Amino acid sequence: MADENVVFIGKKGTMAYVLAVVTQMNQGSSEVFLKARGKAISRAVDVAEIVRNKFVTDVKLGKIEISTEEITSNEGGTLKVSAIEISLKK
Amino acid sequence: MADENVVFIGKKGTMAYVLAVVTQMNQGSSEVFLKARGKAISRAVDVAEIVRNKFVTDVKLGKIEISTEEITSNEGGTLKVSAIEISLKK
């Protein structure tokens, strides 16, 4: 999986990520992975649904995986946070 | 899919739903479905990860599906909202 096919979903507005996915697909990517952690997981699902229902109607949902990641907090400890990876395929 | 095997994830604390899933499994359910909409989607992923990593370690992730649902707003119009369904299987 090349990093160029990954869109990391963060705190921007949903449409910013929709545009990023659509742009990658228009540039020839046949599969794009959406990755998100914590509260951004809901937004990743929104992005996937908006892309496939409104913008790239020939796109299909690929595999959806959930996992737990450890991140280092500002205080130096580790936190566990849920993560999701959604594949969109043309 | 019997409704009794479904846990709807809403605005309560994450552990309330973890307890609901663990209770259903201890009562003999071999498969439990977590359903959530909108911002509660992130919590549903947290619940699935906590159940399988900490409480019922022989549980496996089944199918994860995302979709768009229409709900009726208080003003009478309709809103589209993303939804997730996560299957946990023993």
Side-chain angles (χ1 to χ4, degrees):
Chain A
M1 185 176 68
D3 250 16
E4 61 193 48
N5 291 344
V6 177
V7 175
F8 290 94
I9 311 294
K11 296 185 175 182
K12 291 185 204 167
T14 303
M15 292 311 291
Y17 302 108
V18 170
L19 184 65
V21 174
V22 172
T23 303
Q24 287 216 2
M25 291 202 147
N26 286 342
Q27 285 172 351
S29 296
S30 61
E31 184 168 18
V32 174
F33 296 89
L34 307 181
K35 290 191 179 189
R37 296 196 292 205
K39 288 189 196 303
I41 288 173
S42 308
R43 186 168 297 128
V45 175
D46 287 341
V47 171
E49 286 294 298
I50 292 170
V51 168
R52 74 187 185 101
N53 290 325
K54 296 210 173 147
F55 288 91
V56 193
T57 47
D58 58 341
V59 85
K60 289 193 172 53
L61 280 170
K63 205 164 166 50
I64 302 174
E65 289 179 28
I66 62 174
S67 59
T68 301
E69 296 184 0
E70 281 203 352
I71 57 172
T72 306
S73 70
N74 290 337
E75 291 80 32
T78 56
L79 287 172
K80 287 187 178 180
V81 63
S82 299
I84 198 167
E85 183 178 313
I86 302 171
S87 153
L88 291 173
K89 286 181 187 182
K90 272 225 257 200
Chain B
M1 183 175 71
D3 250 16
E4 62 193 46
N5 291 344
V6 177
V7 175
F8 290 94
I9 311 294
K11 295 184 176 184
K12 291 184 204 167
T14 304
M15 292 312 290
Y17 302 108
V18 169
L19 184 64
V21 174
V22 172
T23 302
Q24 288 215 1
M25 291 202 148
N26 286 342
Q27 285 171 352
S29 296
S30 60
E31 184 167 19
V32 174
F33 295 89
L34 307 181
K35 289 190 180 191
R37 296 196 293 205
K39 288 189 195 301
I41 288 173
S42 309
R43 187 168 297 128
V45 174
D46 286 341
V47 172
E49 287 294 299
I50 291 170
V51 168
R52 75 187 185 100
N53 289 326
K54 295 208 176 149
F55 288 92
V56 194
T57 47
D58 59 341
V59 84
K60 289 191 173 54
L61 280 170
K63 207 163 165 49
I64 303 173
E65 289 179 26
I66 62 174
S67 59
T68 301
E69 296 184 0
E70 281 203 353
I71 57 173
T72 306
S73 70
N74 291 337
E75 291 80 31
T78 57
L79 286 172
K80 287 188 178 180
V81 63
S82 299
I84 198 167
E85 183 178 314
I86 302 171
S87 153
L88 291 173
K89 286 182 187 182
K90 272 223 257 199

